[in-house]
Amino acid sequence: MTTHAAPPAPPADAPAPSVLSVGFGERLPAGRTALFAVQHLLALTGIWVFPNVIGSALKLSSDEVALMIQACFLLTGVVTILQSSRVLKLPIVQGPTAAFMVAIISSGATYGLGTAFGSMAVAGLVFMLLTIPLKRFGLFGRVSAFVSSPIVLGTLFVIIGAQLASIGAGGWFGTAGSPSYGLLALVVTIATGLIVLLCLVLGTGILKRGAVFWGIVGGSVVALLVGQWSFPDLTAAPLLGAPHLLPYGFGVSLPVVVLMLVAFLQAGTESMGMYTMIASWGGETVDTARVNRGLFAEFAGTVLGALFGGIGTTSYPENAGIVRVSGIGSRFVTMTAGGIAVALAFFPPVSLFLAGISGPVLSAATTILFGVIAVSGIQMLAAVRWDDLNLAVGATAFIVALGAQFIPTAISSALPSSVATVVTSPMMIGMFLLLGLHGAVNHGLRPLLARRGQPRRVVAPLVPHTEGNPSA
């Protein structure tokens, strides 16, 4: 019997072998490249869903929402092209994130959209300084380590999901006073929700990844058939037209800048994880300098996009899932998707059409989407060690953030506008409470108690575990 020596073990820090059938630097035929690029775009529902949610919350006209959608196409496309080509050289797809959407709703209601987007641009400049891709620079990782704690991001995501619930559910029955208000609108809402859920539960591949998209398409068909929706008039928009610079004006407010800084932290932290994960699929590693290049491009793109009314971006996990499931890791595919998005930004009728989606259809799809956001926060919180200190941080921030919405108007209206904005916005007050309590308790009090030898008690759940004992 012939024996063979075992191959030498790879170094501990060596990248894993590629799990992709098409590598990052490989090209596909033009037809397949376009097909997979469109698949990526179908997963980017945030480009037009989030502007519609903002429009519904702030009572914007279809034309104003269309301008935001145009800017989102531009921002998404530019940053995706940069990440796929010269910067990261990875199949990264960027898209609007819910953290920025909620920040825009919260600040836009009080300060106006001009101040919301202007403050986003200023906050983006701050983070560009934190991620300068030079040696000894790039401090983002140190800053994000504090904010990305599961108790901070997890609780904040649950608060965001709860805050958004009223926006989604508020449109289930259509618009009050309209002829279609009531039962027919609810039929469209239920039909849309069922299609989204069926795609999520039973679908595979592009059907599952684009569940929200297919739900909106199917729901729109149902709305059309029952007379709840008609195609918007696109003749008012020119066939070709560039996104508008400062379409909502420009302003800056310190409380809004702080709010946007937290949104940038969430977006950047998520992107850092995506860079590392996707690179590992292709057998590559990303060092600190490369991560900083990617974040710098993302933040710079968001600054540019904010000047046109675009919602800040992050690296989309849905598109990362497409890369992993399909095995197509070619960065030329995602670069093409970015190019298509940029092209769509210069066709105003496309944005105007997407801004005219039926209200009940949008409400049904976003209700599920907001539920996913809240549950993702609960998943993060599962990693928290719930001792009495963490319970004090999470429980206090959660209940105060949601309860402050019900402060009597006579009290909130007497406060300075900057204070009232923070106090009455669940995301804003939740953010300040979480950062303050987490810093004071977990980075101040906890080390002090540990030095004194005072162990913290892990809090038992109030409801006993009854798995396997239904009668308990």
Side-chain angles (χ1 to χ4, degrees):
M1 183 175 67
T2 304
T3 59
H4 299 277
D13 59 350
S18 175
V19 296
L20 302 174
S21 57
V22 177
F24 298 150
E26 297 182 54
R27 295 178 182 268
L28 295 173
R32 293 190 68 198
T33 296
L35 178 64
F36 283 111
V38 171
Q39 183 180 12
H40 277 290
L41 285 176
L42 293 181
L44 284 170
T45 50
I47 291 179
W48 40 280
V49 170
F50 289 166
N52 272 290
V53 173
I54 294 172
S56 175
L58 301 183
K59 310 300 182 186
L60 303 181
S61 67
S62 295
D63 290 339
E64 291 173 312
V65 173
L67 292 176
M68 199 179 301
I69 294 174
Q70 260 191 289
C72 286
F73 273 122
L74 178 66
L75 172 54
T76 293
V78 167
V79 181
T80 298
I81 290 171
L82 289 174
Q83 304 289 44
S84 301
S85 57
R86 295 292 183 182
V87 179
L88 277 174
K89 297 184 177 180
L90 292 174
I92 296 291
V93 178
Q94 302 270 165
T97 177
F100 281 108
M101 177 192 71
V102 180
I104 291 168
I105 292 173
S106 298
S107 55
T110 301
Y111 296 97
L113 285 176
T115 298
F117 285 112
S119 299
M120 184 193 299
V122 172
L125 292 173
V126 172
F127 273 96
M128 286 173 65
L129 292 175
L130 291 175
T131 53
I132 294 176
L134 297 173
K135 292 182 178 180
R136 299 178 181 271
F137 287 88
L139 303 176
F140 179 86
R142 300 179 185 179
V143 177
S144 68
F146 175 80
V147 178
S148 62
S149 169
I151 194 170
V152 174
L153 278 186
T155 307
L156 188 61
F157 271 42
V158 175
I159 291 171
I160 289 174
Q163 178 181 354
L164 292 172
S166 62
I167 297 176
W172 289 352
F173 297 92
T175 304
S178 66
S180 58
Y181 181 69
L183 182 60
L184 277 180
L186 184 60
V187 169
V188 174
T189 298
I190 294 173
T192 304
L194 286 175
I195 295 171
V196 175
L197 290 174
L198 287 173
C199 290
L200 282 173
V201 175
L202 303 178
T204 58
I206 189 173
L207 199 62
K208 186 182 185 71
R209 297 289 175 186
V212 173
F213 173 82
W214 299 118
I216 290 176
V217 170
S220 297
V221 172
V222 174
L224 191 65
L225 292 176
V226 299
Q228 280 284 294
W229 180 66
S230 58
F231 285 101
D233 181 13
L234 305 181
T235 58
L239 180 61
L240 297 175
H244 293 209
L245 182 64
L246 303 178
Y248 312 104
F250 183 85
V252 178
S253 172
L254 181 58
V256 182
V257 170
V258 174
L259 179 64
M260 295 298 174
L261 287 173
V262 173
F264 272 105
L265 278 168
Q266 182 273 325
T269 301
E270 185 172 349
S271 290
M272 288 172 67
M274 288 295 151
Y275 301 163
T276 303
M277 180 176 67
I278 293 176
S280 69
W281 294 342
E284 295 185 9
T285 57
V286 286
D287 57 18
T288 302
R290 191 175 179 186
V291 168
N292 283 331
R293 287 199 304 271
L295 291 174
F296 187 86
E298 177 178 320
F299 298 150
T302 297
V303 170
L304 173 65
L307 298 178
F308 291 90
I311 303 171
T313 73
T314 190
S315 178
Y316 258 39
E318 291 89 345
N319 297 92
I322 291 174
V323 170
R324 184 66 180 87
V325 171
S326 67
I328 307 299
S330 172
R331 57 190 179 87
F332 299 100
V333 168
T334 53
M335 195 188 311
T336 302
I340 296 173
V342 171
L344 290 174
F346 291 86
F347 287 91
V350 173
S351 297
L352 190 59
F353 175 80
L354 295 173
I357 296 172
S358 165
V361 169
L362 186 66
S363 295
T366 53
T367 296
I368 297 173
L369 184 62
F370 299 156
V372 171
I373 292 171
V375 171
S376 68
I378 295 172
Q379 290 176 318
M380 292 180 191
L381 291 175
V384 176
R385 184 176 183 271
W386 287 106
D387 58 16
D388 45 6
L389 294 183
N390 277 329
L391 189 64
V393 173
T396 303
F398 173 76
I399 201 65
V400 172
L402 294 181
Q405 300 176 92
F406 305 103
I407 291 176
T409 304
I411 301 297
S412 60
S413 61
L415 298 172
S417 60
S418 58
V419 176
T421 301
V422 173
V423 169
T424 57
S425 166
M427 181 183 177
M428 294 185 77
I429 191 171
M431 170 199 69
F432 284 115
L433 283 172
L434 284 167
L435 293 180
L437 289 172
H438 179 56
V441 173
N442 285 323
H443 291 266
L445 183 59
R446 187 183 295 277
L448 178 63
L449 294 175
R451 287 195 295 269
R452 293 181 176 179
Q454 299 180 23
R456 306 317 305 164
R457 178 176 63 91
V458 176
V459 181
L462 296 177
V463 180
H465 183 62
T466 59
E467 184 176 350
N469 184 13
S471 62

